[in-house]
Amino acid sequence: MSRNKSPRARKCPVCGMPMRRNGFTRAGSRRWRCDACRLSTTAKREDSTRMAEFRAFIAWVTGKESMSEAASRLGITRQAFAARIAWCWNVEPGMPDASRSHRYVMADGTYVPYGWCLLVLTGDDGRPVKWQWCSAETKPAYLQLFKRVRRPGLLVCDGGQGCLAAAETRWRGVRVQRCLVHVLRNTRVDLTNKPKSDAGKALLRLARGLTKISAADEAAAWLTDLNEWHAEHGGYLKERTTAKQDPVHARGRKWWWTHERLRRAYFRLVRLNRDHTLFTFCDPAITKDGGPLPSTTNQLEGGVNAIVKRTLDHHRGLSEKHMKRCCEWAVYMLTADPDPESFVTPAHWRNAKTKSVGDGDPTPGTLTAVQLPATGVDAYESGFGVRTGWAGRSH
């Protein structure tokens, strides 16, 4: 029969004197005895039980299994599993150490249910450095994300104004690389996938070549092609339409550019190059010491953001509070040295039975607060809630 290893010395709950080991029970549990008051006990280690529950919670909330599958694997019911891990939702993961310097960082936001946006900052190893909840990708939100993060050699982002403004405020003069995949997407929005004009078709071909550039000489050749495009189609860009020619679309204007979308797509490329954010990744001034740098945010979007999306897809139907905690644990477990158990304190499980449901708001998954569940039961995630049907009726 296997026997549990002896934990650290215990004190008698009656007299407070040290207790000594006194063999094992038939079930294999350690027996303790107090020589002062002759008390014998096999008191369980509550912390061991709670940590086992927390490990099961982390495995489920960051994995692919449904709650029913996780409960079945442990040999308990779904309701029992939900009750045992109810206290685990109160454990909040902390931020990793952001003091290390990075050659480059990537910043991007991913939108999740309930109107929230999760901003994530990753380092040159592709692992999360910080994350921040916000309702929109604004400058204050990104300032909070960049707070206490050391100045990187390069910031790769999608070019949002909030991100750029926060980066300039936090790291004045930092080099920025605009994600070339986003540049291509914006160009396709303006030109569509099948432009009708020859100028539009040629410019779209140039934009598609952006993501294939990997060196400075290739970037120089691409800019030469862009200049040649303008030399050939510059007159086409300057065409105007007057109100007399098209009174239906005048809307109070005397004239307007005939090919507005084409002009916007072209001058966006010109502006990005003038701002030195189009081909920063291959600038010899910042690549000479460490080799090539990324030109897109694919590492972040296809890594952390994609995993967050997949995790939420595996756990559809979470309440707003639990959805946010699920995302936080999904991101934290991707850090360099995750140690989720380090955030658990006795206060988390001791307050589990007194946890309020709803906090004055309607119970998640219901339209009103008239049907409140029993203490410790989540009405939304345990399958309880308002039901409709013909049960109990007769024709």
Side-chain angles (χ1 to χ4, degrees):
M1 180 182 300
S2 63
R3 296 181 175 180
N4 299 328
K5 293 184 178 180
S6 174
R8 61 178 180 269
R10 293 177 176 272
K11 290 186 177 181
C12 179
V14 177
C15 64
M17 298 298 292
M19 303 181 73
R20 63 178 177 83
R21 302 182 183 89
N22 191 30
F24 295 88
T25 65
R26 291 184 178 180
S29 300
R30 169 67 70 179
R31 185 187 291 114
W32 296 83
R33 180 179 177 82
C34 177
D35 291 331
C37 64
R38 298 182 181 277
L39 174 69
S40 180
T41 179
T42 58
K44 296 182 179 180
R45 290 284 303 276
E46 184 182 16
D47 56 345
S48 299
T49 302
R50 295 301 186 181
M51 295 309 291
E53 293 174 349
F54 184 70
R55 286 191 292 269
F57 165 77
I58 292 296
W60 166 71
V61 79
T62 60
K64 299 179 180 180
E65 290 184 330
S66 65
M67 185 176 288
S68 298
E69 292 171 341
S72 177
R73 182 168 50 83
L74 297 176
I76 58 178
T77 64
R78 184 179 187 274
Q79 288 73 18
F81 182 81
R84 290 187 183 183
I85 66 169
W87 65 271
C88 300
W89 292 107
N90 298 325
V91 183
E92 181 180 3
M95 298 288 181
D97 183 15
S99 60
R100 187 174 77 87
S101 59
H102 298 271
R103 288 190 64 224
Y104 66 87
V105 295
M106 291 186 184
D108 191 25
T110 179
Y111 286 86
V112 295
Y114 300 101
W116 286 100
C117 176
L118 179 62
L119 302 180
V120 179
L121 184 72
T122 59
D124 48 22
D125 56 357
R127 297 187 177 277
V129 175
K130 285 190 69 177
W131 58 86
Q132 174 68 38
W133 287 106
C134 62
S135 58
E137 299 182 61
T138 60
K139 178 181 177 180
Y142 273 104
L143 279 175
Q144 192 66 24
L145 179 70
F146 298 154
K147 190 176 181 180
R148 297 190 180 92
V149 177
R150 297 183 64 177
R151 180 192 181 96
L154 177 68
L155 170 64
V156 186
C157 63
D158 59 5
Q161 292 303 312
C163 180
L164 296 178
E168 182 61 24
T169 301
R170 180 66 181 87
W171 308 309
R172 186 169 301 277
V174 66
R175 300 298 301 273
V176 176
Q177 171 61 50
R178 176 73 174 269
C179 174
L180 297 185
V181 171
H182 284 83
V183 175
L184 175 58
R185 290 175 186 171
N186 294 337
T187 304
R188 291 170 61 182
V189 168
D190 289 330
L191 303 180
T192 73
N193 284 327
K194 295 182 179 181
K196 296 181 179 180
S197 65
D198 293 337
K201 293 177 182 178
L203 187 60
L204 183 59
R205 282 195 299 270
L206 275 175
R208 286 173 174 167
L210 277 172
T211 56
K212 301 177 183 179
I213 296 174
S214 59
D217 55 344
E218 296 176 358
W222 187 90
L223 290 174
T224 301
D225 293 338
L226 184 64
N227 289 333
E228 292 177 355
W229 180 92
H230 183 264
E232 181 179 357
H233 303 285
Y236 186 74
L237 282 180
K238 297 178 181 179
E239 292 183 1
R240 301 183 181 187
T241 301
T242 62
K244 293 181 178 181
Q245 294 173 327
D246 190 0
V248 177
H249 298 91
R251 287 175 286 187
R253 298 177 295 179
K254 295 182 179 179
W255 66 271
W256 58 92
W257 300 111
T258 305
H259 312 290
E260 291 181 347
R261 290 181 176 271
L262 181 63
R263 288 177 59 87
R264 182 163 58 241
Y266 168 73
F267 284 108
R268 179 189 298 113
L269 299 174
V270 173
R271 184 180 67 255
L272 292 176
N273 181 60
R274 185 178 60 246
D275 295 341
H276 304 288
T277 60
L278 192 61
F279 298 120
T280 313
F281 74 98
C282 58
D283 187 347
I286 61 175
T287 60
K288 59 182 179 180
D289 296 330
L293 293 167
S295 61
T296 68
T297 57
N298 290 350
Q299 186 183 52
L300 172 56
E301 293 192 7
V304 179
N305 288 355
I307 291 176
V308 170
K309 293 286 190 181
R310 284 198 297 267
T311 302
L312 290 181
D313 186 58
H314 294 144
H315 302 297
R316 292 187 297 271
L318 292 175
S319 64
E320 181 176 1
K321 178 182 177 181
H322 290 180
M323 181 275 299
K324 294 176 68 176
R325 190 53 45 83
C326 177
C327 293
E328 292 167 359
W329 280 119
V331 176
Y332 174 78
M333 295 304 291
L334 297 175
T335 57
D337 298 302
D339 185 14
E341 296 180 21
S342 63
F343 302 107
V344 181
T345 64
H348 289 122
W349 65 69
R350 288 173 184 170
N351 298 332
K353 294 184 179 180
T354 59
K355 177 186 176 183
S356 61
V357 178
D359 297 329
D361 298 325
T363 303
T366 62
L367 297 179
T368 63
V370 297
Q371 186 175 354
L372 295 178
T375 303
V377 178
D378 192 304
Y380 189 68
E381 294 165 5
S382 296
F384 299 101
V386 178
R387 292 177 172 83
T388 59
W390 289 94
R393 300 187 185 182
S394 60
H395 294 283

